[in-house]
Amino acid sequence: MDHDFIIIGGGIAGISLAARLAPAGRVLVLEAEEHLAHHASGRSAALYEPNYGPPAVVALSKASEAEFRATPGILSPRGLLLVAGPGEEETFATDAAAMELALISPDEARQRVPILRPDRITLAGFSPSAEDIDTDLLLQHFAREARAGGADIRVRSRVEAIHRDGTGWRVTWAGNEARAGVLVNAAGAWVDEVAALAGLPRLGFTPLRRSMARIPAPAGMDVAGWPMVFGPDEAWYMKPDAGALIVSPAEEDPVDGPHDAWADDMVLAEGLARYEECVTEPVTRLLSNWAGLRTFSPDRQPVIGFDTGAEGFFWLAGQGGYGFQTCPAASRLAASLILGEAPALSADLVAALAPARLGGAKISP
Ligand SMILES: Cc1cc2nc3c(=O)[nH]c(=O)nc-3n(C[C@H](O)[C@H](O)[C@H](O)COP(=O)(O)OP(=O)(O)OC[C@H]3O[C@@H](n4cnc5c(N)ncnc54)[C@H](O)[C@@H]3O)c2cc1C
């Protein structure tokens, strides 16, 4: 073997794991694109809200907090405001309880975000625990750690073939070849394609598109201190972003397989219309727009662990809309399992994340 670990994917999942594994062995990261974080990891809303998501995600997010705080500059206060209006009481109550929001008056909500329409927004809940993640800084932090440990991180290296080779895996890209005992599949929306390349069954991941528009801040307003706002029934969200606002239709649209995603004009227009219904300031122009794929497993929880049928094939997949806020704990868990060390997380949580739970959901390549 010329390496101990080959990681396919140079997004936050692959790079955070490379940082963990580098001190323990020879790590090779292969990323298809010209630079790291070209796909989902370069397109997120950069939110850390530990109470947001299904149970295993919440547990991983909470387990990640201490490490986020130990690295200065990664988190900064933001806050999260959920708003709703007449007829939306039931969904509001469910979402507010799930995210452990404190109920506040509509007037207090408007003090935080003055553009909320008084006739439309009559219910509000607030959480101070939501924070911004500096996603570039986080990725560079892990990449630096990985390189310092000796990891070889290569871009423009799209893996084209994977073979089982003796006791390990042989991977081929652009005329090159490498071998390792452990192959990590951290290919984001492409994880099932990578499994198929290795001749393994797909686990049934679904990439879902989410679009984003960047719009100017309403004239004369300093939005820097505004919280992130989730619209009624999560039909849109808005977040301050470097002096402007990003607004997402919060869609989860299935796509025709993994690809370099772009925003759908109609979806974006409809989402912006839903946002405009709730605010006093119209959207007059877009500064930019983009979309990314949030990739979910069949039960919408991440998949972290060795494949049940192929020795040395490791899944770090299905992070959905939570890949940044969970990455410190997720990458630590992955490294413990790969290195045969006892995970710091509960056995129940490790089982809830293991590929074995998806046994019945396998779909043939
Ligand atoms: C609009 C949007 C908003 C989001 N908001 C948040 C948020 O607020 N907070 C949060 O925590 N998360 C958020 N997320 C989710 C988060 O961005 C993802 O969970 C995370 O980026 C996934 O990281 P990844 O490394 O698994 O995937 P990716 O970043 O997609 O990386 C996978 C990489 O694998 C590479 N690859 C694929 N096939 C091959 C191959 N054959 N050979 C070599 N390389 C290959 C790809 O080129 C890609 O770079 C959001 C996502 C989107 C789209």
Side-chain angles (χ1 to χ4, degrees), residues 200-201 203 305-313 315 354-359 362:
L200 302 179
L203 292 184
F306 279 107
D307 190 87
T308 49
E311 202 189 327
F313 188 94
W315 294 84
R357 77 184 195 273
L358 299 174
K362 283 187 182 173

Side-chain angles (χ1 to χ4, degrees), residues 9 11-13 31-32 39-41 43 45-47 159 319-325:
I12 188 62
E31 165 53 48
H39 290 289
S41 300
R43 306 174 192 202
L47 179 75
V159 172
Q319 292 86 348
Y322 320 98
F324 278 101
Q325 64 175 36

Side-chain angles (χ1 to χ4, degrees), residues 50 87 132 136 152 162 192 229 287:
D132 282 351
D136 286 343
D152 182 2
I162 303 172
D192 267 343
V229 183
L287 299 171

Side-chain angles (χ1 to χ4, degrees), residues 8 38 86 115 190 197 254 264 272 286 295 297 306 318 347 365:
I8 301 179
H38 176 83
I115 61 171
W190 287 264
L197 272 185
D264 179 290
L272 287 170
L286 263 56
T295 300
S297 72
F306 279 107

